[in-house]
Amino acid sequence: MTSAVSPATPAAGASPNPHGVTFGEAFRVWLRVAALSFGGPAGQIAVMHRIVVDERKWIGEQRFLHALNYCMLLPGPEAQQLAIYIGWLMHRTAGGLVAGILFVLPGFLSILALSYLYVSLGSVAAVEGLFFGLKAAVLAVVVQAVVRVGGRALRNRAMIAIAAAAFLAIFVLHVPFPVIILAAAVIGFVGSMSGSRLFQGGGGHKAGGGAILADAEALLGEEIPPHARPNLGWSLRISAVLVALWLLPLLLLYLFLGPGDIFTQIGVFFSKMALVTFGGAYAVLAYVAQEAVQHFGWLKPTEMLDGLGMAETTPGPLIMVLQFVGFMGAYRDPGSLNPLTAATCAAVLTTWVTFVPCFLWIFLGAPFIERLRGNAALAGAMSAITAAVVGVILNLAIWFGLHFLFRSAEVRRIGPLSIELPVWTSLSLPSLLLSLAAAIAIFRFRLAVIPVLVGCAVAGMAWPA
């Protein structure tokens, strides 16, 4: 029987970093990864792969993909969770914390600054034009996401049927996003357990071409580091700490401010989002828009586009757009606080409850990740969830287009069904033309997201002139 080695400390006499990468060097690398993390999860993962695998040779190709596949099974931004995972592999708990925090920090500060600008100078013509242009680009980017994710996920009739059912459920029946994800997971799990080839998982993000770095040739090697071996005691202790950090602020808000306070509502709502954010920001935004706009009244439909434009043009996960939603909610309902003070506190709270769970999922599950390898049932559930996400993102694209391209819309009801339709006479020609230009740039000329966003922003600022 081998002795248990605590994941927090190396075995006695062992080198603290047998791979030779110092903590200071890792800090600088993760800072660089964070600064270059534009373009959504695919771009962020590609940047991480280029730096960590190709340039630094910290870990090999198979270990990178194995970690990524695990992160894709989790709620939350897989790129940030992958950074936490690799940071933890290299430098234990402290490495995971630094990698995960740095991945979020530049985006948080950038969006906070843009949010100040938005509420302070939003009526200035140049600023209005800036966000008008960003909306047009974001609409094209969301449509691109439908095509990109759909091309990867809808491999057969079963996946197409799940995507169609998910779209109708949220677009016509207004079924909550978590219910759709849960139903898809059950269908995929049962379908895979039945042995059907239609539900076989696979895919994920491709790392790209070029020479493949074998795990044995990487600095970390192919063996499991002592601190990364399963240790139930450590997993329970670190999980207890993270759960307390996540939920204790919510309990204090509930006790001292009450369930109806804006901060309590924001904390509880975005904690729920942290549990159901499968499929990335585009998928969960449909549900956020449904609740934050229609139920809570925290912001307007077009402001959701503005927030997503901020997230698209700043480093970090796209799910950082939730920070803007929380910011606007408290800004409009500050209570006894100054509006900007309340909004800043809400932005911090939203970011906290959104990303603290990401550390929990990694530190709790990563040591046991080997048990997930080759699990057909989990792969089938993930395939079905990804297919459902396509339908949800399509709903988001239609919702964005409806509120950006048209100045007004109306709800048509047919029995229990309700559909929001545009008032065709309210079509905005400038919005249509700039959106078409963005779509042509992305689909015809295959320009990257950032140049399209910048070009549309400049065009929008010039439009009033």
Side-chain angles (χ1 to χ4, degrees):
M1 179 177 179
T2 58
S3 60
V5 179
S6 170
T9 56
S15 170
N17 293 316
H19 46 66
V21 180
T22 66
F23 193 85
E25 179 185 352
F27 182 93
R28 292 188 293 273
V29 168
W30 290 121
L31 193 60
R32 180 187 170 201
V33 169
L36 298 176
S37 293
F38 293 90
Q44 293 159 0
I45 291 167
V47 166
M48 206 180 313
H49 181 274
R50 187 183 76 240
I51 294 175
V52 172
V53 178
D54 294 340
E55 294 182 9
R56 298 287 175 165
K57 303 187 187 305
W58 284 359
I59 62 174
E61 185 79 19
Q62 290 304 313
R63 193 188 289 271
F64 183 91
L65 293 177
H66 183 59
L68 175 58
N69 287 336
Y70 172 63
C71 294
M72 290 184 66
L73 292 171
L74 303 172
E78 64 262 37
Q80 190 230 7
Q81 290 168 334
L82 181 60
I84 298 171
Y85 189 102
I86 298 173
W88 167 77
L89 270 179
M90 296 295 292
H91 294 97
R92 305 172 180 80
T93 308
L97 290 172
V98 165
I101 292 171
L102 287 180
F103 199 89
V104 171
L105 188 59
F108 169 79
L109 296 175
S110 300
I111 291 180
L112 187 62
L114 288 173
S115 299
Y116 288 152
L117 177 67
Y118 187 84
V119 297
S120 301
L121 302 174
S123 60
V124 176
V127 177
E128 286 183 338
L130 168 69
F131 285 102
F132 169 75
L134 288 179
K135 291 173 189 173
V138 165
L139 179 57
V141 169
V142 175
V143 173
Q144 182 194 36
V146 176
V147 175
R148 185 179 65 244
V149 179
R152 186 177 70 241
L154 307 185
R155 303 184 305 273
N156 53 56
R157 289 175 295 177
M159 297 299 113
I160 294 173
I162 291 173
F167 170 75
L168 293 175
I170 197 169
F171 184 72
V172 178
L173 300 174
H174 307 290
V175 177
F177 174 67
V179 175
I180 294 174
I181 291 300
L182 178 61
V186 171
I187 292 172
F189 185 88
V190 173
S192 181
M193 291 295 290
S194 70
S196 173
R197 296 177 60 86
L198 297 176
F199 292 90
Q200 289 185 351
H205 296 272
K206 294 182 179 179
I212 295 178
L213 177 66
D215 290 345
E217 298 173 356
L219 294 179
L220 189 64
E222 59 183 349
E223 298 297 325
I224 299 177
H227 71 273
R229 294 169 187 162
N231 184 315
L232 184 59
W234 176 82
S235 295
L236 292 177
R237 288 194 300 272
I238 192 70
S239 298
V241 171
L242 289 169
V243 168
L245 289 173
W246 176 20
L247 299 182
L248 186 57
L250 302 184
L251 179 61
L252 295 176
L253 289 171
Y254 186 90
L255 293 176
F256 288 98
L257 299 180
D261 185 83
I262 183 66
F263 290 105
T264 306
Q265 292 178 341
I266 287 173
V268 171
F269 178 72
F270 289 112
S271 289
K272 293 178 181 177
M273 290 301 94
L275 296 173
V276 298
T277 48
F278 298 95
Y282 293 126
V284 77
L285 271 183
Y287 181 58
V288 172
Q290 186 183 63
E291 295 295 309
V293 175
Q294 299 173 12
H295 178 66
F296 291 108
W298 289 339
L299 71 174
K300 301 173 184 177
T302 53
E303 290 173 339
M304 285 291 299
L305 279 169
D306 294 334
L308 188 55
M310 294 180 191
E312 290 277 11
T313 52
T314 53
L318 293 180
I319 204 69
M320 293 297 298
V321 65
L322 300 185
Q323 172 191 331
F324 175 74
V325 177
F327 180 96
M328 294 300 297
Y331 183 81
R332 293 211 165 100
D333 184 15
S336 60
L337 297 175
N338 173 274
L340 278 179
T341 302
T344 302
C345 293
V348 174
L349 176 62
T350 302
T351 304
W352 182 266
V353 299
T354 298
F355 290 101
V356 167
C358 295
F359 295 92
L360 172 62
W361 313 143
I362 296 300
F363 291 149
L364 176 61
F368 305 93
I369 184 176
E370 291 300 324
R371 297 183 182 182
L372 293 176
R373 180 174 292 177
N375 190 305
L378 285 177
M382 190 63 197
S383 296
I385 288 174
T386 306
V389 162
V390 176
V392 174
I393 298 176
L394 176 60
N395 169 75
L396 179 67
I398 293 174
W399 190 87
F400 276 171
L402 180 67
H403 290 281
F404 178 61
L405 299 177
F406 299 89
R407 296 185 178 90
S408 59
E410 58 184 3
V411 177
R412 297 285 181 87
R413 300 187 182 277
I414 306 173
L417 310 180
S418 64
I419 304 176
E420 191 174 15
L421 297 174
V423 176
W424 292 98
T425 55
S426 68
L427 177 66
S428 169
L429 187 59
S431 300
L432 177 63
L433 292 177
L434 195 53
S435 297
L436 287 175
I440 291 171
I442 288 175
F443 289 100
R444 175 65 179 85
F445 296 102
R446 302 188 182 280
L447 294 184
V449 170
I450 296 301
V452 174
L453 287 164
V454 172
C456 287
V458 171
M461 293 174 68
W463 200 287

